[in-house]
Amino acid sequence: PAQAHIVIVGRSIPTLQLGRLRANDALREIDVADLAFSVDESLAFRSASGISEVDEAQWVDLTRRAEGWIAGLQLVRLSLKGQDAAGVQRFVASFDGRLQEIDDYLVEEVISSLPTDLRSFMLRSSLLPFLSPELCDYVLETDRSSRLLRELRLRSLFVVSLDTRQQWLRYHHLFADALQRRLADEADAGEVANIHARTAEWLADHGYAEQAVTHAIACQRWDLATSLVHHISAPLAVSDRVFSMRHWLDLLPRDILMADPELKYLYLWS
């Protein structure tokens, strides 16, 4: 009957034939982005919860860093309770998702129940600046990334689409932080360094120099890092973006920087 409505609720996207319903405008989908708090909604939550430890501007900043994630903001609220003014200021200044409560929530509610292959993929791909089948295949030395990324989308596992075709994704920032900490506990330093190195190589080969240099430095590939800083710095110097250029130069160890005549000149000039 025309007045009947079917509501399906779940953490993952149901495996149903939904194309015709979408085409007929007979389907209303509410996804992660719809469920995230807007700034106004987050301020209303702050008011209703009686949060007095932080002012409105600080709460807005925390909301943006949490990307509106409601459970994350609730855990932030609980972490603020009972803190003195100095503790609150330290918390607001340093908040990047590194709360034991957030890690516990994500491990208990999300990570621990995943299939082994998907869990391993998520931990290792959490170091990447974005997720595409090509990048993940190269870095993780697999040919299954397209399938695994599709499973991430279907399970609504804290991923954000970066393109209309949903081929490129990224993890929610707080979720990526939690995955990276879990990876640091479980993987050896050599494996983490290899992920950074292969990420830097792929990004450099595909024109993402600024993102590549960060990964090259993380794995101490100084040859690649120096080459990338050369590539980045010269255009910045010409375009008068001196502070941006100095940022990249400052990331290199001083002995490597001073041993390169061109980079040394740019450093001293800036």
Side-chain angles (χ1 to χ4, degrees):
Q3 67 272 22
H5 296 79
I6 299 175
V7 178
I8 301 176
V9 180
R11 183 183 293 278
S12 60
I13 299 173
T15 55
L16 301 173
Q17 301 295 325
L18 303 176
R20 179 176 295 180
L21 292 174
R22 289 193 185 99
N24 292 331
D25 196 25
L27 178 68
R28 175 71 171 98
E29 295 174 275
I30 302 174
D31 60 16
V32 173
D34 296 310
L35 293 173
F37 271 159
S38 67
V39 169
D40 288 342
E41 289 168 338
S42 182
L43 288 172
F45 168 73
R46 170 181 174 268
S47 177
S49 302
I51 299 170
S52 58
E53 293 84 358
V54 294
D55 60 29
E56 183 173 303
Q58 290 172 319
W59 186 254
V60 169
D61 185 36
L62 291 170
T63 299
R64 286 172 175 155
R65 283 190 249 174
E67 298 188 73
W69 179 36
I70 299 173
L73 288 170
Q74 168 69 353
L75 294 172
V76 166
R77 181 185 74 83
L78 295 174
S79 298
L80 287 169
K81 290 183 67 174
Q83 293 205 40
D84 58 21
V88 168
Q89 292 302 319
R90 286 194 298 271
F91 181 91
V92 173
S94 63
F95 176 68
D96 60 358
R98 296 183 184 183
L99 282 178
Q100 187 60 49
E101 294 84 354
I102 288 180
D103 278 9
D104 290 344
Y105 175 87
L106 291 173
V107 169
E108 293 169 8
E109 295 294 323
V110 183
I111 301 173
S112 62
S113 62
L114 295 175
T116 301
D117 61 339
L118 185 60
R119 181 180 184 277
S120 175
F121 176 84
M122 292 181 71
L123 291 179
R124 284 150 184 81
S125 64
S126 67
L127 295 174
L128 310 185
F130 54 83
L131 308 173
S132 72
E134 298 80 10
L135 172 59
C136 294
D137 275 351
Y138 180 82
V139 171
L140 304 181
E141 301 179 77
T142 182
D143 59 1
R144 298 181 299 119
S145 297
S146 182
R147 177 182 68 80
L148 292 168
L149 289 173
R150 182 174 182 274
E151 191 165 352
L152 290 184
R153 293 196 305 274
L154 291 176
R155 288 176 177 262
S156 299
L157 287 173
F158 290 89
V159 289
V160 178
S161 294
L162 299 177
D163 67 335
T164 56
R165 297 180 59 201
Q166 298 188 337
Q167 294 298 304
W168 287 39
L169 310 171
R170 70 165 174 84
Y171 292 114
H172 185 291
H173 294 315
L174 298 188
F175 189 50
D177 289 341
L179 290 173
Q180 289 168 15
R181 288 190 290 276
R182 181 66 51 173
L183 177 66
D185 290 338
E186 297 185 9
D188 59 61
E191 181 181 6
V192 173
N194 183 59
I195 293 173
H196 280 299
R198 294 183 67 84
T199 302
E201 291 167 0
W202 191 94
L203 292 171
D205 288 343
H206 290 79
Y208 299 95
E210 294 193 14
Q211 292 169 304
V213 69
T214 303
H215 290 276
I217 290 171
C219 63
Q220 300 185 3
R221 278 282 307 276
W222 303 124
D223 56 336
L224 178 57
T226 301
S227 173
L228 289 165
V229 172
H230 268 287
H231 179 73
I232 295 167
S233 296
L236 293 178
V238 173
S239 63
D240 202 29
R241 293 171 59 194
V242 177
F243 289 110
S244 296
M245 180 186 71
R246 183 61 180 260
H247 165 74
W248 295 111
L249 294 172
D250 283 339
L251 291 177
L252 295 174
R254 189 57 56 88
D255 57 334
I256 292 176
L257 184 63
M258 292 297 125
D260 186 297
E262 182 181 343
L263 293 183
K264 179 179 180 180
Y265 169 78
L266 290 172
Y267 181 82
L268 295 175
W269 173 74
S270 63

